[in-house]
Amino acid sequence: MTGKALVINGPNMNLLGQREEGLYGSLTLQELESGLKEKARKLGLEVDFFQSNHEGDLVERIQGSEDYDFIIINPAAYTHTSVAIRDALLAVGKPFIEVHMTNIYAREDFRHHSYLSDVAVGQIVGLGPLGYTLALEAAYFFLKGDYGS
């Protein structure tokens, strides 16, 4: 195994496949996770998943991430409001990539600011479920030491 990644999803991501299909598509969160598990297996990574609609639960999961080498996070609406999630990520010191299925910069003005982007390894926006796959591949290369080459 090259490493272990934790994929964290914030509020309303549990409704993938049911909400705003024009923005988020028809893939469910379970289907997304299943595809990522298969991709991780091919890369030789372990991957676990966590989703919550509650900010404190997300903070506690981040704080409890000591067994992980890398975090992939879609904080959803908390991207634009949560200093607590930012502080938790900084406190644990894990490299992380911020993922958004939609292009937050092409949406409402209040979505243009991220409290995480300036401390993330990278940010992937607007590529739908593919963004998670790309983030997992980037985590793999980052953990191998080949990131950026």
Side-chain angles (χ1 to χ4, degrees):
M1 280 297 160
T2 302
K4 193 169 182 182
L6 175 62
V7 178
I8 298 175
N9 280 291
N12 298 310
M13 295 302 291
N14 58 309
L15 296 177
L16 281 180
Q18 302 171 30
R19 67 181 272 241
E20 299 175 276
E21 285 189 33
L23 285 176
Y24 299 102
S26 60
L27 192 72
T28 67
L29 184 59
Q30 294 75 22
E31 291 167 335
L32 175 64
E33 290 174 355
S34 178
L36 288 174
K37 281 181 188 175
E38 178 61 23
K39 180 65 175 181
R41 186 190 64 73
K42 289 178 181 176
L43 292 171
L45 290 173
E46 290 183 52
V47 64
D48 290 319
F49 303 92
F50 181 78
Q51 187 278 326
S52 179
N53 295 319
H54 305 283
E55 184 178 26
D57 292 345
L58 297 168
V59 167
E60 287 179 355
R61 187 65 191 103
I62 292 164
Q63 290 176 352
S65 65
E66 60 274 347
D67 293 338
Y68 297 91
D69 303 302
F70 204 95
I71 295 173
I72 296 167
I73 184 167
N74 180 346
Y78 289 132
T79 302
H80 323 291
T81 63
S82 183
V83 174
I85 290 173
R86 175 194 174 93
D87 287 350
L89 288 162
L90 288 172
V92 299
K94 304 281 179 187
F96 73 93
I97 293 177
E98 178 185 350
V99 175
H100 297 282
M101 293 183 74
T102 65
N103 182 349
I104 61 175
Y105 303 104
R107 297 185 63 190
E108 303 93 341
D109 286 346
F110 69 86
R111 295 186 195 275
H112 297 182
H113 180 264
S114 165
Y115 277 99
L116 307 181
S117 62
D118 67 316
V119 294
V121 168
Q123 184 186 54
I124 300 172
V125 302
L127 300 178
L130 176 61
Y132 287 88
T133 303
L134 295 173
L136 195 61
E137 289 178 353
Y140 168 77
F141 286 109
F142 184 91
L143 294 171
K144 271 184 56 176
D146 292 341
Y147 191 77
S149 2

